[in-house]
Amino acid sequence: TSQVWMGLTTGCAVCHDHKFDPITQKEFYALSAFFNNTTQKAMDGNVKDTPPISPVPQDADLPRWKELTTLVPAAEQAAEARKQAARPDFDAWLAKADVKDLDTWIPSAGLHLHVPLSDGANAVSYTLDSAKLESPLPPTAEWREGKLKPKAAYLNQGSILEVPAAGDFEGDRPFSVAAWIKLPANDSSGAILSRMDDQHDYRGWDFWVEGRRVGSHIINKWPENALKAVTADQLPADQWVHVALVYDGSRKAAGIKVYVNGEAKPMTVAADALTATTRTADVPLKIGQRNTGAPLSGVSLEDVRIYNRDIAPSEASSLANSALLASVIAAAPENRVAAEVDSLYAWWLANLDEAAKSLVAKRDELTRERDDIQARGTIAHVMQERPEAPMAHVLNRGEYDQRLDAVTPDTPELLPAFPADLPRTRLGFAKWLMRPEHPLTARVTVNRFWQELFGQGLVRTAGDFGVSGELPSHPELLDWLALEFRDGGWDVKKFFKLMVMSAAYRQSAAATPEKLEKDADNRLLSRGPRYRMDAEMVRDQALAASGLLSPKIGGPSVKPYQPPGVWEAVAMFGSNTRDYTQDAGESLYRRSLYTFWKRSAPPASLDIFNAPNREHCVVVRERTNTPLQALVTLNDPQYVEAACQLAQRAMKEVPAEFDDRLALIGQRLLAREFTADEYDIVRSSFDKLAAHYAVHEAEAKQLIDVGETQPDATLPAGELAAWTMVVNELMNLDEVLNK
């Protein structure tokens, strides 16, 4: 659609008599109004599956999925009905509630360490496994205004308390940490509390803040054997917030949850590979920093608690609402603030009302079941229309902030009229584009297909079909191809078969002096096409020739070989794509189409071969020829591994004669045998390489061990290395890299 729109902006060059005038400014913006009606936001906030989406469950889950589409809403309605009906029961409870009962509503089971941090004295009192202890107030801390009590601890570049006997948890042991915290407006990082040996692989755990996002590291060795997850959203600055960190002992990042003011928050995972111990016997637990670094500064803390279990969501809610409970219950009924009473009602429903708890538990159980089914399936990204009629504005000289007249969706007068029976939506616009009388859609499409096979379109300015673009070199051919594609049912495979079986495509690409003189750019199709393949094709061709290319279709993106540090050099702090974790197995050999793409750091080997960075639509790719490209095909692990696999295949599948092996390699790389002159060059190169590796066995083994695919141990390492280098050289031939 975008390419057709480009063709509309300045008139239609493919209508050869040029009877049409360019479209007007108003028509341009009226056309844009068709695209101004989606519910999708302009920025997705780095959401993995940006809505609107449609879940697609697995076939085995479909019956239950259909049941849940009814059961989940019914359970939600039942929970909501109890919420509306339970107010009299709450009012009766509140009338009898006593502030003395506050401790019974705050979780105490499994309380390992409690540090109130509200002493306001020259010492810090705390309770460790029911034992009451005290420690001197360090010079880096002071007392300031608190949340629960008049005073709270204010940290400034150092710990306020060290407890050697606290918090030495193993990675498979659940624990929870909770505290009231007030963060400054800066985006600094540090440990609220931790038990971490930051001088030895960062072993241990912490309750961590970075950029006002809260989470945890749970580490054996950073970063390869560790967990890290932080909240996706920032905490407010200069406000008291209750934060509870809960870890379930699963050794999975998904087992780390953070509750802010009693509500679970979405998490961003930065590391998820913990298998070994996290115990740290030689360092103490510290509040306000790690063992030797990462101190918090300008942060206020109060009521720090560590539990040796994973507290429930309702318990996290109770901790967060403790101040509210105290203030509302202690106040006289006539002095209670309505908003605070409503908040307390929500807490009471979640924690004390058995009927509501039962209904919510049932709702959550069904919701989890639905979410699990959705997680096992896939996601279809869809486009959704806004309910209101779409519109746009004429912009003064194109300035987005200078709106003039409002316009509704419409098509240019020079093109077929928009049918009255079609809705003026994206769907209606798409149907209009595909109408038989439309002059552009089929032409633009077949021109792109032609460009894909022949290297340049019949209209060479494939992104500009307007009067400012080039005229078609073969207008009648373009018209015929457009009609053939349209009348053939828009069958892409059928159309490509037609083109590749044509006499024009099957010509030799060899150029004679006469052809170069009369048709230097091959606009007259005097010879077959010859141009460097696209970046993805170069890689896929090497994998296919070697037999490594995976035939798998679909699935999530993959992360094949990539030089170290590419992502890290441009990553934002806390980004979920800060570190590149290479895939293994079949994922290394998927088609390049499936490579995970980070726009600020595109795959290096594809970028070097002119793959677009995907910042904007690219209609015609650049094709350059640089030494870096040769360095990729000669040295990149993907290409060296592919060369080794093809060499190994030749050695195993054909007799031990040089000629037969070279013939197999020639067929797989060039689809032909080598000429006599070429044979002599390859033979000479092989003999030199074989002689070298015969006396340098360590180098041979180092070469054939490149990549994850292990070489056949029954083959002589020196001979396989020699053949690998020969194949590697041949893969760098222009004839291999060109189409």
Side-chain angles (χ1 to χ4, degrees):
T1 299
S2 61
Q3 300 311 313
V4 176
W5 193 7
M6 288 182 191
L8 291 171
T9 56
T10 54
C12 180
V14 296
C15 298
H16 314 127
D17 51 7
H18 289 277
K19 294 179 180 177
F20 299 128
D21 294 326
I23 68 173
T24 67
Q25 185 184 41
K26 183 176 181 180
E27 286 178 324
F28 175 86
Y29 287 107
L31 189 67
S32 73
F34 281 104
F35 304 93
N36 201 27
N37 68 332
T38 177
T39 59
Q40 186 171 347
K41 296 180 180 179
M43 297 183 66
D44 70 0
N46 204 26
V47 175
K48 177 179 179 292
D49 291 313
T50 306
I53 58 174
S54 179
V56 183
Q58 296 179 357
D59 290 344
D61 289 328
L62 273 175
R64 183 57 176 168
W65 175 264
K66 292 178 180 178
E67 292 177 356
L68 290 170
T69 57
T70 302
L71 294 175
V72 171
E76 291 173 341
Q77 292 173 7
E80 181 63 25
R82 175 56 188 169
K83 179 179 178 181
Q84 301 301 324
R87 191 63 183 242
D89 294 342
F90 165 74
D91 292 338
W93 170 84
L94 183 58
K96 298 178 181 179
D98 192 321
V99 74
K100 296 177 182 178
D101 298 327
L102 186 62
D103 289 341
T104 65
W105 300 321
I106 297 177
S108 58
L111 183 60
H112 172 52
L113 176 70
H114 180 211
V115 190
L117 292 180
S118 57
D119 305 73
N122 292 325
V124 177
S125 302
Y126 61 98
T127 302
L128 176 66
D129 295 328
S130 301
K132 296 185 179 299
L133 303 167
E134 191 174 85
S135 179
L137 183 72
T140 57
E142 58 184 274
W143 301 110
R144 291 193 179 182
E145 183 180 357
K147 170 65 177 178
L148 304 179
K149 301 291 178 64
K151 297 294 183 180
Y154 180 79
L155 308 181
N156 189 14
Q157 294 295 333
S159 65
I160 190 172
L161 180 66
E162 297 183 14
V163 187
D168 190 13
F169 300 128
E170 184 54 274
D172 59 358
R173 181 177 174 182
F175 65 89
S176 305
V177 184
W180 284 95
I181 182 170
K182 183 163 73 170
L183 299 174
N186 60 52
D187 288 343
S188 60
S189 301
I192 302 171
L193 73 160
S194 75
R195 181 162 183 138
M196 180 175 288
D197 191 349
D198 50 6
Q199 298 299 303
H200 298 91
D201 301 326
Y202 293 89
R203 182 170 297 176
W205 64 273
D206 62 18
F207 187 16
W208 180 252
V209 175
E210 60 181 37
R212 286 192 284 122
R213 293 173 173 84
V214 182
S216 179
H217 301 79
I218 303 174
I219 301 172
N220 168 262
K221 182 178 182 181
W222 181 259
E224 56 264 37
N225 200 322
L227 307 178
K228 179 184 179 181
V230 297
T231 55
D233 301 322
Q234 290 184 316
L235 269 62
D238 299 319
Q239 294 182 29
W240 280 106
V241 178
H242 188 269
V243 183
L245 165 74
V246 180
Y247 172 61
D248 65 3
S250 63
R251 295 187 184 271
K252 299 291 184 183
I256 300 174
K257 293 182 174 61
V258 171
Y259 298 84
V260 177
N261 290 333
E263 295 183 4
K265 295 299 180 181
M267 306 294 289
T268 298
V269 174
D272 194 6
L274 179 65
T275 59
T277 183
T278 59
R279 297 289 298 276
T280 53
D282 298 331
V283 299
L285 179 136
K286 291 189 177 183
I287 297 179
Q289 68 171 74
R290 288 174 173 168
N291 187 44
T292 63
L296 281 179
S297 184
V299 175
S300 295
L301 279 179
E302 190 175 356
D303 195 37
V304 175
R305 296 167 180 261
I306 300 179
Y307 294 86
N308 57 19
R309 62 183 180 88
D310 49 341
I311 62 174
S314 61
E315 294 176 307
S317 174
S318 293
L319 288 168
N321 285 280
S322 57
L324 177 67
L325 279 163
S327 64
V328 173
I329 294 174
E334 63 274 13
N335 295 331
R336 289 169 179 162
V337 179
E340 291 183 347
V341 174
D342 289 341
S343 296
L344 185 59
Y345 178 47
W347 171 85
W348 178 83
L349 284 169
N351 294 274
L352 298 184
D353 182 43
E354 294 301 326
K357 288 168 63 177
S358 175
L359 291 170
V360 168
K362 182 63 175 178
R363 179 201 65 190
D364 292 346
E365 179 185 355
L366 293 171
T367 301
R368 279 194 299 272
E369 184 180 3
R370 181 192 62 186
D371 293 344
D372 289 343
I373 291 176
Q374 180 173 325
R376 291 195 293 269
T378 57
I379 293 295
H381 293 265
V382 298
M383 185 65 69
Q384 189 176 49
E385 302 274 351
R386 291 205 304 258
E388 63 271 19
M391 62 172 293
H393 288 84
V394 176
L395 303 180
N396 182 32
R397 302 184 64 83
E399 295 289 344
Y400 68 88
D401 60 345
Q402 297 185 31
R403 293 182 171 185
L404 300 178
D405 298 339
V407 291
T408 55
D410 203 0
T411 52
E413 186 178 350
L414 64 88
L415 291 170
F418 195 88
D421 60 336
L422 289 181
R424 291 184 180 263
T425 62
R426 290 171 183 260
L427 177 60
F429 183 72
K431 290 182 177 179
W432 172 78
L433 284 175
M434 304 302 291
R435 291 178 72 84
E437 66 270 23
H438 199 292
L440 277 177
T441 309
R443 283 190 177 92
V444 171
T445 305
V446 300
N447 191 66
R448 291 290 302 276
F449 292 162
W450 186 275
Q451 175 181 274
E452 187 65 34
L453 287 182
F454 287 86
Q456 56 186 336
L458 295 170
V459 177
R460 190 153 47 181
T461 55
D464 189 353
F465 265 52
V467 294
S468 61
E470 287 193 21
L471 290 171
S473 60
H474 299 72
E476 292 82 3
L477 174 59
L478 181 63
D479 288 347
W480 182 85
L481 290 171
L483 291 173
E484 189 72 17
F485 183 50
R486 184 197 71 187
D487 297 341
W490 308 90
D491 190 325
V492 175
K493 288 186 177 181
K494 178 182 177 182
F495 186 77
F496 267 90
K497 182 178 180 181
L498 172 70
M499 288 194 294
V500 298
M501 293 181 67
S502 68
Y505 184 78
R506 289 185 292 131
Q507 294 180 97
S508 169
T512 64
E514 181 183 10
K515 289 180 179 180
L516 290 175
E517 179 183 355
K518 295 183 178 180
D519 189 20
D521 295 331
N522 201 28
R523 295 296 285 155
L524 302 178
L525 305 175
S526 61
R527 56 191 180 275
R530 184 183 185 277
Y531 57 93
R532 212 273 323 286
M533 291 188 293
D534 292 338
E536 296 88 345
M537 293 182 184
V538 172
R539 177 178 173 273
D540 292 356
Q541 185 269 350
L543 292 175
S546 68
L548 284 172
L549 186 66
S550 167
K552 181 180 177 182
I553 296 176
S557 299
V558 295
K559 299 182 179 71
Y561 301 111
Q562 177 168 288
V566 174
W567 280 16
E568 291 77 2
V570 299
M572 294 183 293
F573 196 82
S575 168
N576 62 351
T577 57
R578 179 177 178 82
D579 302 306
Y580 187 86
T581 304
Q582 179 184 299
D583 277 325
E586 184 184 24
S587 294
L588 290 172
Y589 315 113
R590 300 291 307 280
R591 289 175 58 197
S592 302
L593 169 72
Y594 299 110
T595 298
F596 187 99
W597 202 280
K598 180 170 180 171
R599 284 190 297 177
S600 60
S605 63
L606 301 183
D607 185 41
I608 288 171
F609 279 96
N610 309 115
N613 62 11
R614 305 192 185 184
E615 291 288 345
H616 52 82
C617 177
V618 174
V619 182
V620 180
R621 290 195 179 191
E622 293 181 353
R623 300 191 192 278
T624 61
N625 190 2
T626 72
L628 284 176
Q629 293 164 357
L631 291 173
V632 169
T633 53
L634 286 171
N635 299 308
D636 188 284
Q638 193 83 87
Y639 292 91
V640 175
E641 182 181 21
C644 182
Q645 288 302 301
L646 180 53
Q648 179 173 284
R649 181 170 184 169
M651 292 177 67
K652 294 177 67 175
E653 291 187 7
V654 298
E657 282 81 16
F658 178 88
D659 294 5
D660 294 334
R661 291 176 176 175
L662 186 60
L664 182 147
I665 293 169
Q667 288 294 337
R668 294 196 67 84
L669 290 178
L670 303 171
R672 66 173 178 84
E673 295 185 359
F674 292 93
T675 66
D677 291 342
E678 292 169 339
Y679 174 90
D680 291 341
I681 295 172
V682 177
R683 181 77 212 210
S684 174
S685 179
F686 174 80
D687 289 343
K688 292 177 182 177
L689 289 164
H692 173 82
Y693 286 118
V695 294
H696 295 86
E697 186 176 355
E699 290 183 21
K701 290 183 177 179
Q702 184 179 10
L703 173 66
I704 63 178
D705 281 339
V706 171
E708 278 206 359
T709 308
Q710 294 300 307
D712 191 329
T714 64
L715 298 176
E719 187 178 3
L720 178 56
W723 274 112
T724 297
M725 287 301 297
V726 166
V727 174
N728 186 243
E729 291 172 355
L730 296 175
M731 281 183 167
N732 204 47
L733 292 173
D734 278 352
E735 189 174 344
V736 174
L737 300 175
N738 282 261
K739 187 174 180 300

